[in-house]
Amino acid sequence: MKFHFQHFLKALLLGLFTLFFANLHITGDIIKYINPKYDYMSKMTVIFFFVLLLIQVTRIWQEKHTHHVCSHRCDHDHGNSHWSLRRVVSYSIVAFPIVTGFMVPPATLDASIAANKGFLVSQGGGQSGGTERKSLMEGAESLVEKEDIDIYSSEHVPLPNENYLSEQEYDGKLRLLQESESIQMTEDMFSTYYGEINDNLESYVGKTIKMSGFVFKEEGLTGNQLVISRFLITHCVADASIIGFLTEFTGAVTIQEDAWVEIEGVLEVGNYNGYDLPLLKATSLNVVEEPSEPYIYPVLKMLGN
Amino acid sequence: MPIFYLGQAIKNQATKERGDSMQSRQKQSYNISTVFVLGILLIILVPLFLGSKTLTIPNSFPQLNTIFLSILIEAIPFVLIGVLIAGFIQIFITEDHIRKWIPKNKFLAVVMSCVVGAAFPACECGIVPIVRRLIGKGVPLYAGVGFLLTGPLINPIVILSTYMAFGNDMEMALLRMGVGFVAALAIALTVSILFKSNQLKKSTGNFESATTGNKKQPFAARLHEMLKHSIDEFFDMSKYLIAGAFVAAFLQTYVSTQSLLQLGSSQMQSTFVMMALAFILSLCSEADAFIGASFRNVFPTSSILAFLIYGPMIDLKNTIMLLSVFKAKFVFVLFILITSIVFLFVNLTILL
């Protein structure tokens, strides 16, 4: 029997991966990274990693050199050969995300990322922005027709994606949007309402909108203008796109960027670079704590629908 | 530990010397990939060192790290499924199973190889040695190329991950399969016209029979082997994924949409930008959809499609592997063919 250090190292890394994924679910940090809709995938991953760990543990101590089943020519590394710089680098790269994952706490995307993605650009000012927004709207329309699932309820259910709305409830919420004078942009309907308002701006002008979001001051805004923004997460944080309303508020200069605020305002038609866009004239604005679930998730189509 | 391993090392050295010049060529290509891996490490370390100058992590690092980890958390389940299937194929399916289906007629063989590739779940990293063995056993080059191209591009896991990465939207997954398949056909057919011989480096083809000896083993033992294989495949593949995810997260954190748009302001340019990105990132086809999707609000659909089709067919990592198998001239021609045909076909989709 012989102790294989590289097999031990692999087992250690697999163990750490198992812990990392399990920890995400235990602490609930998983929602800082991905749309909770897909969280079963990463739960499955915990099990996969654990099984692989068990298998790998059996390889740490083994007979001198058992003949490997795959031929000499399978191109990957079976950890039987000697050390090289390349191997050290390889293991370091694999260890890197585990180290940063445990050491650096997850952050909520902030205005610096929003600045990179650009808000006004996506409002029609940019070259590809127009088509992008159009496809977002198409998505919103088709979900109005087809969807009856509430992805993200404001009721703080631990797993918001499993909170289903019946079709009547969904239609009811949409009718509420069309008929009421005051629109509450709740998390569950945010992307749907947002799409609908952008699509038919004229029919919503003059209505009161209540929403919360973080403050983003994009280059090109005037002193009393802010974007009250949310990130729309389709799948994971990496695909976030920024949605929100351009807001005018007289005390805007005093509000820090990245602060979370609750606002109430009247919807008007604004203009940027010759494009119409919704503009909120804020009547009240309060700084609040960052919510525990800062992201917005779109209503997604299910397979077979 | 080095002493501990000395015995092993000497033994390996001995086996290596028993091998042919192919081995030394492989060694050479390892050096190329060492440089590549070191380069990626540099990209990872430089921001960390820049941060340590002020003795604090820069404010943007947690943001970068969150994006980086979120890509990995999404991608790793698919990579795991991929390596499990790869392990299964390695242990339970022989090349003969696939080769039986390739017909004599050139055109039919190309079509057939693309179809077989499409039905065969593999990653671009796993498929190169399989293709080498197939061609060594007498499968014509063009059929091997068709298989090489569609294997990683079209398979259930890639389709599923593309479907999910694009917000449960089937359109991108269908386009990826359809356009990718037609492009692969065109590339393989062109190869069948341009090249007559098998283009393998001279030394390959010597060891062909070793894989068939394991059939007698009991199922449990083979299952165990399969999982061990999967583990090694995971470690082999994950480093490229991790490096790729980091580069993508880095770009998102520090490069603004505007500057990327300037880089690829026209349709053609942005397609080239995305293809270059696909090449450099060398992502596994089972996970690249998530990274492609993260560029959705930067580039038009056709450019993202180019990223999704081009990446699985050829990338930096894959090219290094191909160079260790095929003659350099063939790899170069194949690279040009793939690049131009994918570019052409993706841009044609705009007319649809």
Side-chain angles (χ1 to χ4, degrees):
Chain A
M1 293 295 256
K2 182 174 187 286
F3 178 78
H4 291 256
F5 184 72
Q6 286 193 53
H7 283 316
F8 169 73
L9 204 60
K10 283 185 177 180
L12 183 71
L13 287 170
L14 284 174
L16 287 172
F17 269 117
T18 315
L19 278 181
F20 175 65
F21 275 88
N23 189 49
L24 284 176
H25 286 282
I26 294 163
T27 59
D29 276 350
I30 189 83
I31 64 158
K32 295 263 186 183
Y33 296 105
I34 60 164
N35 184 339
K37 175 116 195 157
Y38 301 107
D39 99 336
Y40 66 93
M41 290 294 297
S42 57
K43 280 181 182 157
M44 228 166 65
T45 306
V46 179
I47 299 166
F48 276 168
F49 270 128
F50 189 67
V51 171
L52 293 183
L53 169 66
L54 292 181
I55 299 289
Q56 182 63 23
V57 165
T58 67
R59 300 170 80 187
I60 300 176
W61 285 275
Q62 60 183 359
E63 295 307 317
K64 275 201 162 177
H65 189 86
T66 48
H67 175 69
H68 198 283
V69 155
C70 82
S71 73
H72 40 81
R73 277 317 172 84
C74 68
D75 233 10
H76 58 229
D77 174 13
H78 287 294
N80 295 323
S81 35
H82 59 103
W83 281 89
S84 65
L85 176 63
R86 179 176 186 259
R87 197 147 292 159
V88 174
V89 170
S90 300
Y91 283 116
S92 313
I93 291 177
V94 177
F96 180 74
I98 304 176
V99 173
T100 65
F102 279 116
M103 304 291 282
V104 184
T108 305
L109 295 189
D110 64 17
S112 68
I113 303 293
N116 285 345
K117 301 207 181 250
F119 173 74
L120 292 172
V121 152
S122 70
Q123 295 291 317
Q127 286 131 318
S128 73
T131 50
E132 172 57 32
R133 256 214 25 193
K134 210 186 241 168
S135 70
L136 183 76
M137 293 311 115
E138 277 162 16
E141 258 179 346
S142 65
L143 61 88
V144 170
E145 288 159 12
K146 289 193 175 173
E147 271 311 317
D148 54 352
I149 305 147
D150 176 12
I151 280 306
Y152 192 96
S153 157
S154 54
E155 244 85 83
H156 296 289
V157 185
L159 271 182
N161 278 345
E162 287 168 11
N163 178 23
Y164 286 81
L165 269 188
S166 75
E167 195 145 349
Q168 287 138 327
E169 278 176 300
Y170 187 91
D171 288 346
K173 287 206 174 199
L174 258 184
R175 217 172 306 116
L176 212 64
L177 171 71
Q178 285 151 6
E179 289 166 6
S180 62
E181 281 308 301
S182 169
I183 300 163
Q184 174 84 43
M185 299 289 284
T186 54
E187 276 81 358
D188 56 342
M189 296 299 284
F190 197 109
S191 64
T192 310
Y193 283 1
Y194 180 77
E196 172 69 14
I197 290 169
N198 269 286
D199 260 3
N200 305 303
L201 186 51
E202 280 74 25
S203 42
Y204 295 99
V205 165
K207 292 191 178 188
T208 302
I209 289 186
K210 287 184 206 168
M211 68 170 284
S212 62
F214 69 91
V215 172
F216 167 46
K217 297 180 176 179
E218 186 160 21
E219 262 179 67
L221 296 182
T222 60
N224 62 347
Q225 287 180 331
L226 307 164
V227 181
I228 307 298
S229 336
R230 298 298 283 260
F231 279 105
L232 178 73
I233 308 291
T234 309
H235 203 287
C236 68
V237 168
D239 65 39
S241 51
I242 183 160
I243 59 177
F245 289 108
L246 183 62
T247 305
E248 279 184 9
F249 181 64
T250 36
V253 191
T254 62
I255 310 289
Q256 291 281 313
E257 195 164 47
D258 279 330
W260 278 80
V261 294
E262 249 171 31
I263 59 155
E264 206 176 307
V266 180
L267 193 70
E268 291 185 6
V269 179
N271 193 292
Y272 175 76
N273 269 7
Y275 291 90
D276 285 348
L277 77 171
L279 174 73
L280 281 188
K281 293 270 190 197
T283 51
S284 81
L285 186 150
N286 297 310
V287 176
V288 294
E289 286 282 291
E290 182 186 314
S292 58
E293 288 160 349
Y295 302 124
I296 299 292
Y297 307 101
V299 186
L300 297 170
K301 281 178 213 164
M302 299 291 290
L303 260 177
N305 251 16
Chain B
M1 160 195 72
I3 299 165
F4 205 60
Y5 256 80
L6 204 58
Q8 184 85 52
I10 290 167
K11 222 189 255 169
N12 284 335
Q13 207 52 46
T15 18
K16 260 187 194 146
E17 274 154 25
R18 248 183 283 126
D20 48 11
S21 63
M22 176 65 203
Q23 293 286 43
S24 67
R25 285 232 180 75
Q26 262 191 343
K27 247 183 160 178
Q28 227 170 28
S29 74
Y30 281 154
N31 291 338
I32 299 169
S33 57
T34 307
V35 172
F36 166 63
V37 171
L38 280 177
I40 296 245
L41 197 76
L42 259 182
I43 295 171
I44 294 172
L45 287 182
V46 163
L48 286 179
F49 278 126
L50 289 179
S52 67
K53 251 183 212 164
T54 55
L55 288 172
T56 48
I57 302 172
N59 281 341
S60 52
F61 185 74
Q63 300 272 319
L64 187 157
N65 190 49
T66 305
I67 297 173
F68 166 58
L69 290 176
S70 85
I71 296 174
L72 286 184
I73 291 167
E74 275 311 352
I76 281 177
F78 289 100
V79 173
L80 281 180
I81 297 172
V83 299
L84 285 175
I85 293 180
F88 175 83
I89 288 162
Q90 190 74 42
I91 305 299
F92 289 95
I93 294 178
T94 66
E95 292 84 353
D96 298 332
H97 290 138
I98 303 156
R99 193 169 54 112
K100 254 190 293 200
W101 293 87
I102 306 277
K104 294 274 178 285
N105 177 293
K106 239 185 205 185
F107 181 76
L108 278 181
V110 166
V111 174
M112 209 59 205
S113 70
C114 288
V115 172
V116 171
F120 186 84
C123 232
E124 66 262 42
C125 8
I127 204 156
V128 175
I130 300 171
V131 168
R132 172 175 53 193
R133 242 171 271 159
L134 286 173
I135 295 178
K137 281 183 182 180
V139 171
L141 178 70
Y142 42 85
V145 168
F147 183 68
L148 177 80
L149 297 178
T150 55
L153 178 66
I154 306 169
N155 69 52
I157 301 158
V158 173
I159 296 162
L160 179 70
S161 67
T162 311
Y163 168 77
M164 285 173 80
F166 287 85
N168 285 15
D169 186 359
M170 208 59 207
E171 188 194 343
M172 193 53 110
L174 286 173
L175 272 174
R176 186 182 193 178
M177 282 190 289
V179 178
F181 189 82
V182 177
L185 274 182
I187 295 162
L189 282 173
T190 317
V191 165
S192 78
I193 295 164
L194 292 180
F195 295 94
K196 300 297 167 207
S197 72
N198 70 9
Q199 298 299 315
L200 288 177
K201 287 193 166 177
K202 294 235 163 58
S203 46
T204 35
N206 292 346
F207 321 68
E208 293 313 334
S209 50
T211 33
T212 45
N214 322 303
K215 279 185 176 171
K216 306 273 147 59
Q217 283 194 333
F219 179 77
R222 294 171 79 192
L223 190 69
H224 189 79
E225 282 303 323
M226 168 194 146
L227 290 174
K228 289 204 288 198
H229 230 287
S230 303
I231 291 167
D232 294 328
E233 192 108 23
F234 172 76
F235 278 93
D236 225 29
M237 233 148 43
S238 57
K239 56 177 184 268
Y240 294 102
L241 172 77
I242 290 166
F246 193 87
V247 173
F250 186 87
L251 287 177
Q252 282 207 20
T253 318
Y254 297 110
V255 179
S256 78
T257 301
Q258 262 94 343
S259 69
L260 269 177
L261 281 174
Q262 277 161 11
L263 214 65
S265 53
S266 78
Q267 174 70 40
M268 300 277 174
Q269 282 164 338
S270 63
T271 304
F272 261 125
V273 168
M274 285 309 279
M275 281 167 72
L277 205 63
F279 187 80
I280 293 162
L281 291 180
S282 295
L283 296 169
C284 192
S285 59
E286 274 132 37
D288 64 354
F290 299 109
I291 288 162
S294 71
F295 287 98
R296 257 187 309 180
N297 36 16
V298 183
F299 288 127
T301 307
S302 60
S303 308
I304 308 279
L305 186 64
F307 176 87
L308 293 178
I309 294 174
Y310 189 64
M313 287 187 175
I314 197 156
D315 58 34
L316 196 53
K317 164 171 63 91
N318 189 295
T319 307
I320 291 167
M321 293 174 87
L322 287 175
L323 278 170
S324 73
V325 177
F326 293 108
K327 290 175 186 162
K329 188 186 143 210
F330 172 71
V331 177
F332 179 72
V333 172
L334 187 66
F335 169 76
I336 299 288
L337 269 179
I338 295 174
T339 308
S340 47
I341 288 179
V342 170
F343 184 80
L344 181 75
F345 278 46
V346 162
N347 281 303
L348 284 178
T349 59
I350 301 165
L351 306 175
L352 289 178

